[in-house]
Amino acid sequence: MSESKCKCGPGYATPLDAVRNGPVEKLLYVVCVQPNLDEEHGDYLATVDVDPASPTYCQVIHRTYTNSKHNELHHSGWNTCSSCHFVPGGKEVPTRDRLVLPCLNSDRIFVIDTGTDPRAPKLAKVIEGDVLKGADCTAPHTTHCLPNGNIMISVMGDAEGNAKGDFVEFDKNFELVGTWSRGDRKALCGYDYWYQPHFNVMVASEWGAPKLFRRGYHPTDCDDRTQYGCRLNFYRWQERELFQTIDLGDDGLTPLEIRFLHNPRENQGYVGCAFYDVPVKKVQGENGEIEMMGGMMTDILISLDDRYLYFSNWRHGDVRQYDISDRANPRLTGQVFLGGAIQRDAPRRVLNDPELKEAPEPVFLKGRRLLGGPQMLQLSLDGRRLYVSSSLFSPWDKQFYPEMVAAGGTIVQLDIDVENGGMKLNENFLVDFGGEPYGPGLPHEMRYPGGDCTSDIWLVNE
């Protein structure tokens, strides 16, 4: 369709349009989990001021509480994005004004109105968990808008909490349409997904069964590959049918975040496998026990110009930047340590490290030690600022980094050299969730009001 015959909807015409003409972010919407399960205000969406010229820079300026317990807000997504940017003449032009917050534990979905007052979002609707269970689905995860204006959310479990890879579709008023996939062939597990209509394909990844990951991580969970994922699932977009599954084997356990290149004419993408994409380190614990510690790659993203890929290495404690101009041969161009479990003064002592000659030093910022490890990532549209939060999933936070849970999580900013590659910690930026009104909070995923590097999908405009 040509632009002359269309109305422009939300987002940006192309990824490079976002890079060149997108605004500098001034607000950051942050999904925050309340680790105190008895606190009645529960999880919340924090609005953070990230405008350096503002008197409330690096502060939480508003909190939209769920006012219910045991939700475990995790990921988020918009009611509409750049896939709906070009709208045929005569049709209603959608507005990006609803942020969708699915919950891993309660199966609720909170819909937040960000359009009325972007600095003070308010709750617009709550979809109770029984709605998903009625479709034999639980543990909703990734939200994307569809080109037709509907909203689709991936799920990871059936009504009993067993592993199940599927998708639920809602209309623009957030009424359930039904499950999206058709045919008898179903994915064993679910997690993230990304669609690419130009190639008639959608790719989905796998984590595990809700009844397993909700109770914390057990190394033996991975033994049953029907309940813990190691596969990529390929769907025909138009037909909505699963047509191919690729088993990644032991080297591809828990493939989590799926990121296609942003250019909709590119047919390539990447997936981060949490447990086996980073060389393991041999460590000795406080009681003399020997452990082979993996890095736990928990998030990846690609810059909007498709030049750099970033990933967080939650257990080892670093964020890495790769130049992916040569798609099949990523080249490491930046690495920054932001905590982790192998620091010089950590209880575990590294005995053998295939990557580092010495343990990283602890990191202090504005008088605060960074605890836990780097987790969720969000990049500015121009690629120059990378925001990094510290919380993965509260049961796992409590298991791996209890000191971070007790002190509250953080968000830091890395300054990016977009010309030559490389990144460094911004010493003037810190969002500290230790002093929240109802106790320390755990910040997870981050969004901008106008869209960002991980929420927008573009279509080929012909």
Side-chain angles (χ1 to χ4, degrees), residues 242-270:
L242 177 63
F243 73 93
Q244 184 178 10
T245 296
I246 297 177
D247 192 321
L248 302 176
D250 291 342
D251 291 336
L253 273 175
T254 54
L256 297 181
E257 310 303 333
I258 290 273
R259 304 289 183 241
F260 265 64
L261 296 176
H262 295 287
N263 182 345
R265 296 184 183 276
E266 291 274 6
N267 63 352
Q268 301 171 75
Y270 298 84

Side-chain angles (χ1 to χ4, degrees), residues 2 5 30 37 109 116 158 224 232 292 295 300 317 355 386 459:
S2 67
K5 297 180 181 179
V30 184
L37 300 182
I109 300 169
T116 302
D158 65 15
D224 184 351
L232 293 179
M292 300 303 293
I300 68 171
E355 295 185 299
L386 182 70
L459 305 183

